[in-house]
Amino acid sequence: MYDIIVVGGGVAAFSSALFAARRGLEILVIAKDIGGQANYTDLIENYPGLPEIGGLELVSRIKQQAEAFGAKVLIAEVTKIKQHEQSFVATAYNRQYKSKALILAFGKTPKDLAVPGEEQFKGRGVSYCATCDAPLCKNKTVAVAGIGDLSLEAAILLSHFAKKVYVLSKTDKLHGHLSLIKALHRRKNVEFLPFKQVLEIKGSKQLSSMRLRDLNTGVETSLPIEAIFVELGYVVHSEFLGNLLDLEQDGQVRINADHSTSVAGLFAAGDVTDRPYKQAVISAGEGASAALAAFDWLMRQKGSTGLTSDWTQIKRVNR
């Protein structure tokens, strides 16, 4: 029996584990892999206090901190979570792990183009986050393959850094909010390529080109680029939760201001939640908040102690 089980292997998960473990709780982190979405980023430049760090290195450092305070880590995929009496039961590798509280922090997964070369160049030219990686594209030639406002917003942002931005579409026009389309047309370094389908992403150590097909003529061409931004949206794989708690239609977990969910004792943090702005630093803060909220909930279940303030002093109150 653990005090808290954390499901996930990214920034939010290990930040939760760190803050909960420092409260003297028994913590188990169950992660399918280490790094989560941070694995797609070779270089993070906007994490406060760390001018440059790799995504996996950042997560690994937080993981080591959590383990130093006693958190245990199990590499496995959680296939089911249920409530049993006054505890949660997480099933992984056909074994069951019990906890008094639980934090969901397993993030989201970007939708792929599903073309040859994409997996090979993830983090080496293939990006799924323009907000994260646009500053790395100064004076480079890049492409955006995506849908709707996601694609438009990424292209506009990239146009402030890149030398050239190609916007690919399978149709003959851009789709999205008119204000974004007008803003994109004002960017002189942006070129719209209609009726284009990505067939393959190519390169050696780094991405250097992609193979395209014209959907009107069937003609295939090669386009030299140094990066491609895939903006097809994200999917949250929360099917294993079943009907345990309230979810948004897209699978994101609905949370309250204190990161609690519709189920008492069950909290969520990071990209898996319905909160906007999916960034590593925000996930770290949310992970810490969820851990403190879970600690407060656990203490109140004992009937004697609650965490009412953590910026002046910890007040012990009878509830």
Side-chain angles (χ1 to χ4, degrees), residues 8 33 39 95 102 136 174 178 195 222 239 247 256 310:
D33 59 14
N39 287 334
R95 296 187 63 182
L102 193 140
L136 304 178
L174 295 169
L178 184 59
F195 298 117
S222 179
E239 301 86 357
L247 303 173
N256 302 309
D310 68 331

Side-chain angles (χ1 to χ4, degrees), residues 40-307:
Y40 299 127
T41 306
D42 272 353
L43 185 64
I44 295 174
E45 293 184 314
N46 60 353
Y47 198 92
L50 298 172
E52 291 186 358
I53 190 170
L56 179 56
E57 182 185 357
L58 174 63
V59 176
S60 297
R61 287 190 186 186
I62 304 173
K63 172 178 176 287
Q64 290 169 5
Q65 283 181 282
E67 289 176 314
F69 285 98
K72 296 178 175 62
V73 179
L74 172 68
I75 305 301
E77 182 176 4
V78 175
T79 57
K80 187 176 182 180
I81 293 175
K82 65 179 181 180
Q83 280 186 297
H84 179 66
E85 296 178 346
Q86 294 184 336
S87 64
F88 295 93
V89 181
T91 302
Y93 282 157
N94 294 320
R95 296 187 63 182
Q96 294 185 338
Y97 303 85
K98 293 183 180 180
S99 65
K100 302 168 188 174
L102 193 140
I103 298 175
L104 300 174
F106 53 88
K108 59 180 182 177
T109 303
K111 294 181 181 179
D112 290 336
L113 283 170
V115 299
E118 181 177 14
E119 188 68 30
Q120 177 184 352
F121 292 104
K122 282 181 178 178
R124 294 189 295 138
V126 175
S127 173
Y128 301 86
C129 181
T131 304
C132 309
D133 296 337
L136 304 178
C137 295
K138 291 178 181 178
N139 299 317
K140 292 185 178 181
T141 299
V142 305
V144 178
I147 55 174
D149 290 347
L150 291 172
S151 179
L152 298 176
E153 289 172 352
I156 292 169
L157 176 60
L158 285 162
S159 70
H160 292 283
F161 298 94
K163 175 176 61 178
K164 181 75 173 183
V165 181
Y166 293 105
V167 180
L168 311 177
S169 175
K170 292 183 178 181
T171 65
D172 63 341
K173 61 181 180 180
L174 295 169
H175 296 275
H177 280 86
L178 184 59
S179 60
L180 292 175
I181 294 175
K182 288 182 177 179
L184 192 64
H185 283 314
R186 288 195 293 266
R187 306 302 299 176
K188 295 181 179 180
N189 59 337
V190 174
E191 182 176 346
F192 174 54
L193 301 180
F195 298 117
K196 293 296 185 290
Q197 178 186 12
V198 180
L199 298 180
E200 184 180 7
I201 295 169
K202 306 176 73 174
S204 53
K205 291 184 179 180
Q206 288 285 133
L207 185 156
S208 60
S209 67
M210 60 181 175
R211 187 162 57 91
L212 302 175
R213 174 187 291 141
D214 189 296
L215 295 176
N216 260 348
T217 64
V219 174
E220 296 183 10
T221 57
S222 179
L223 181 68
I225 57 169
E226 295 163 274
I228 181 171
F229 288 79
V230 181
E231 297 290 343
L232 295 172
Y234 294 83
V235 58
V236 177
H237 291 298
S238 53
E239 301 86 357
F240 70 96
L241 296 174
N243 297 319
L244 178 63
L245 74 169
D246 291 343
L247 303 173
E248 297 291 340
Q249 287 186 346
D250 60 3
Q252 292 185 116
V253 179
R254 293 177 184 170
I255 59 172
N256 302 309
D258 63 351
H259 291 272
S260 63
T261 69
S262 59
V263 176
L266 182 55
F267 302 83
D271 289 358
V272 72
T273 72
D274 58 357
R275 294 285 172 84
Y277 311 123
K278 315 293 188 179
Q279 296 289 304
V281 64
I282 294 174
S283 290
E286 289 190 0
S289 295
L292 295 176
F295 172 79
D296 178 55
W297 184 83
L298 286 170
M299 294 302 101
R300 286 188 284 109
Q301 299 314 297
K302 296 181 179 181
S304 59
T305 331
L307 180 62

